[in-house]
């Protein structure tokens, strides 16, 4: 039976965790701080649970330098749950902004205000999506499904990376080609939000930086792009300027912790921008389900319902370990390390183009999920590569079932030593057979 040291795991998620965190977790799962109780048993209403939530929020705030004007939430549902939560919440915020504007211009005549907002929902509500891979595609489809009872055309796919790329994902088109809903200062009506997935795990595509076209201009806040980013698979792998985003969300099971914890970072001003459920319904829009209702979760310090305290504690331990090793510069250090590890793999792939073919365009290559084919997608040779990797203790390298190939997931807890083990196998596999 192999030890942890003998296995180099590159799975896309759930992903590897630091061994010291798992060792501490095994004790906490059995008997936390000699309390006689497991962290899986304590009440989420207890002072201990509250402290764990607060400590984890504090660690995350230190790592990402989260401004006081933002709130950190813990929810269920993973990234896929947030596909729905974002639509429910951000559409509600859009409706409230329109209600306030109508009330300011028409006065407090409820019937006239409601009539105008209902018309604006039908004619002007738009949700902008930048589709660069499988997950952003699913997010846009979920939005269209949720809004379908209202009609068609509410979801604006402002960019679909498959167009001009042979129907496949693997590029990020130039920003000048994006068809974002014009803001009011651009002569339009503005969208409820602009969504993008910062790193696509299936297709190996990552935004190299924050899109310049979405940069805040410092003008009317209600006419800025409200940017929503899914950072499930590159969370804490590089520094992020939080104030540029309205909402950042991510499942914990790749760079932060284990499954069943979803993190949301949201601008506090948005939490105060919700209409009453009755007005939303009268305007023809559903109110957010209570477990996805951001203001309710924030008001209750993420403890509205029974959340996974053990999972949140694990996430906190991962964050504190980063702070212990790197201090408040941890995300900058992780960014450098992630780049160095990715370079080791990409350099070998690029040096052997007849054997290995990297899937995405060079400018869009992910540091987190390195996707490639072998001999142009030769199934037998890819099978031989994966079997040889398993024999060497290199696990979790099979590509996503929807695209095949090989995928190296280079998350924060993957040490450079394991990347170098993989590098040796890549080099060996690329050598011509001896005659």
């Amino acid at each position: 039976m192999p030890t942890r040291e003998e296995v180099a795991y590159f799975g896309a998620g759930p992903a590897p965790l630091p061994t010291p965190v798992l060792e501490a977790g095994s004790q906490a799962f059995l008997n936390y701080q000699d309390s006689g109780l497991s962290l899986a048993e304590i009440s989420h209403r207890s002072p201990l649970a509250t402290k764990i939530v607060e400590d984890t929020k504090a660690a995350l705030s230190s790592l990402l330098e989260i401004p006081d004007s933002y709130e950190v939430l813990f929810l269920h549902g993973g990234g896929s749950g947030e596909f729905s939560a974002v639509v429910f919440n951000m559409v509600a915020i859009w409706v409230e902004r329109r209600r306030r504007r109508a009330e300011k211009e028409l006065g407090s005549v409820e019937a006239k205000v409601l009539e105008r907002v209902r018309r604006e929902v039908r004619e002007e509500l738009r949700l902008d999506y930048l589709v660069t891979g499988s997950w952003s595609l699913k997010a846009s489809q979920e939005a269209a499904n949720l809004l379908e009872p209202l009609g068609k055309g509410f979801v604006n796919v402002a960019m679909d990376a498959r167009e001009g790329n042979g129907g496949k994902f693997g590029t990020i088109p130039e920003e000048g080609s994006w068809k974002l809903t014009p803001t009011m200062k651009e002569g339009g009506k503005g969208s409820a939000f602009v969504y993008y997935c910062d790193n696509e795990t299936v297709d190996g595509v990552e935004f190299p930086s924050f899109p310049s076209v979405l940069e805040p201009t410092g003008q009317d806040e209600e006419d800025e792009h409200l940017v929503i980013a899914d950072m499930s698979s590159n969370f804490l792998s590089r520094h992020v300027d939080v104030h540029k985003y309205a909402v950042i969300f991510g499942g914990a099971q790749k760079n932060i912790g284990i499954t069943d914890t979803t993190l949301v970072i949201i601008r506090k001003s948005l939490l105060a921008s919700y209409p009453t459920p009755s007005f939303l319904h009268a305007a023809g829009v559903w109110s957010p389900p209570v477990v996805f209702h951001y203001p309710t979760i924030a008001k209750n310090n993420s403890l509205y319902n029974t959340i996974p305290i053990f999972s949140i504690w694990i996430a906190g331990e991962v964050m504190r370990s980063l702070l212990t090793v790197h201090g408040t510069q941890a995300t900058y250090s992780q960014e450098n390390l992630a780049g160095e590890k990715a370079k080791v793999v990409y350099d070998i792939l690029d040096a052997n183009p007849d054997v290995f073919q990297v899937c995405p365009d060079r400018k869009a290559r992910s540091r987190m999920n390195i996707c490639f084919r072998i001999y142009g997608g030769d199934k037998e040779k890819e099978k031989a590569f994966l079997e040889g990797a398993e024999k060497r203790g290199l696990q979790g390298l099979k590509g996503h079932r929807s695209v095949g190939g090989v995928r190296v997931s280079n998350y924060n807890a993957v040490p450079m030593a394991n990347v170098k083990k993989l590098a040796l196998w890549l080099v060996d596999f690329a050598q011509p057979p001896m005659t």
Side-chain angles (χ1 to χ4, degrees):
M1 182 178 295
T3 64
R4 283 186 64 81
E5 290 71 26
E6 293 172 322
V7 172
Y9 184 58
F10 299 94
L17 288 166
T19 298
V21 171
L22 288 175
E23 290 173 339
S26 66
Q27 180 59 41
F29 195 78
L30 181 64
N31 185 357
Y32 182 65
Q33 294 184 347
D34 296 322
S35 65
L37 290 174
S38 165
L39 270 186
E41 297 173 322
I42 67 167
S43 168
H44 70 294
R45 306 287 186 195
S46 67
L48 179 56
T50 298
K51 185 175 187 307
I52 288 171
V53 169
E54 292 295 340
D55 287 350
T56 304
K57 288 167 65 173
L60 181 60
S61 296
S62 294
L63 285 167
L64 289 181
E65 300 176 319
I66 298 175
D68 291 338
S69 54
Y70 283 75
E71 184 64 71
V72 176
L73 311 176
F74 299 105
L75 300 93
H76 298 280
S80 295
E82 288 307 303
F83 296 166
S84 304
V86 161
V87 174
F88 281 121
N89 285 275
M90 298 307 295
V91 168
I93 290 167
W94 184 91
V95 167
E96 175 61 5
R97 287 182 166 184
R98 292 306 182 99
R99 187 197 67 79
R100 291 177 182 178
R101 189 182 306 159
E103 190 174 74
K104 182 178 180 181
E105 296 175 4
L106 301 175
S108 300
V109 182
E110 187 173 337
K112 289 185 178 180
V113 169
L114 177 59
E115 180 184 2
R116 174 164 143 176
V117 173
R118 285 177 61 89
R119 174 177 53 79
E120 290 178 342
V121 167
R122 294 192 304 270
E123 298 176 1
E124 299 177 11
L125 176 62
R126 295 293 182 274
L127 285 57
D128 287 354
Y129 280 79
L130 306 178
V131 177
T132 55
S134 300
W135 292 112
S136 49
L137 176 61
K138 288 184 177 182
S140 68
Q141 291 170 337
E142 175 68 354
N145 288 337
L146 290 174
L147 294 173
E148 186 173 8
L150 300 179
K152 303 285 186 180
F154 294 108
V155 173
N156 171 42
V157 177
M159 176 263 280
D160 187 334
R162 295 171 296 182
E163 297 176 1
N165 195 48
K168 296 182 179 180
F169 292 120
T171 66
I172 298 177
E174 294 295 326
E175 293 181 12
S177 68
W178 300 0
K179 296 179 175 61
L180 296 167
T181 301
T183 61
M184 287 184 287
K185 61 177 171 284
E186 294 169 338
K189 300 294 185 180
S191 63
F193 60 83
V194 181
Y195 163 96
Y196 75 95
C197 181
D198 207 28
N199 182 75
E200 292 278 3
T201 58
V202 173
D203 307 283
V205 171
E206 183 176 25
F207 280 81
S209 60
F210 186 84
S212 59
V213 72
L214 301 180
E215 288 279 355
T217 62
Q219 299 184 36
D220 181 5
E221 182 187 21
E222 293 201 7
D223 197 34
E224 298 279 10
H225 294 295
L226 291 178
V227 180
I228 314 293
D230 178 354
M231 295 189 181
S232 292
S233 53
N234 63 355
F235 214 89
L236 301 183
S237 72
R238 62 183 177 189
H239 183 68
V240 173
D241 191 347
V242 173
H243 90 275
K244 294 182 179 181
Y245 300 87
V247 176
I248 296 171
F249 70 82
Q253 67 274 14
K254 301 182 189 297
N255 273 325
I256 312 169
I258 57 179
T259 58
D260 201 28
T261 297
T262 310
L263 292 90
V264 172
I265 304 170
I266 181 170
R267 196 175 291 157
K268 286 181 179 177
S269 61
L270 298 177
L271 295 172
S273 299
Y274 283 70
T276 62
S278 60
F279 186 88
L280 262 181
H281 300 160
V285 178
W286 293 271
S287 54
V290 68
V291 292
F292 284 155
H293 186 247
Y294 292 155
T296 296
I297 303 303
K299 181 181 178 181
N300 289 275
N301 193 32
S302 297
L303 296 168
Y304 175 80
N305 63 335
T306 308
I307 58 173
I309 295 299
F310 178 73
S311 299
I312 293 172
W313 179 85
I314 288 286
E317 286 292 290
V318 170
M319 296 173 194
R320 286 184 286 274
S321 68
L322 288 173
L323 288 168
T324 298
V325 174
H326 303 292
T328 54
Q329 299 297 303
T331 52
Y332 296 97
S333 298
Q334 286 301 132
E335 185 169 359
N336 291 334
L337 180 56
E340 291 169 5
K341 292 188 297 178
K343 186 177 186 300
V344 169
V345 178
Y346 280 125
D347 282 354
I348 296 171
L349 300 179
D350 290 337
N352 298 276
D354 293 336
V355 180
F356 306 118
Q357 296 81 43
V358 179
C359 296
D361 180 77
R362 186 179 292 269
K363 293 181 180 179
R365 287 180 176 180
S366 170
R367 302 161 304 126
M368 296 288 100
N369 306 100
I370 302 168
C371 298
F372 61 95
R373 304 309 299 255
I374 296 176
Y375 288 103
D378 185 302
K379 291 184 179 180
E380 290 304 314
K381 287 185 169 60
E382 288 181 344
K383 181 180 178 183
F385 175 85
L386 294 170
E387 290 177 348
E390 288 277 346
K391 292 176 181 177
R392 290 162 175 78
L394 306 168
Q395 298 184 12
L397 290 167
K398 189 174 181 179
H400 191 272
R401 63 186 182 277
S402 65
V403 295
V406 180
R407 173 172 56 177
V408 180
S409 293
N410 176 38
Y411 298 131
N412 285 353
V414 174
M416 178 64 87
N418 286 1
V419 173
K420 289 182 176 178
K421 290 179 184 177
L422 172 62
L424 290 174
W425 173 227
L426 288 167
V427 170
D428 287 349
F429 187 86
Q431 299 306 309
M434 296 183 66
T435 57

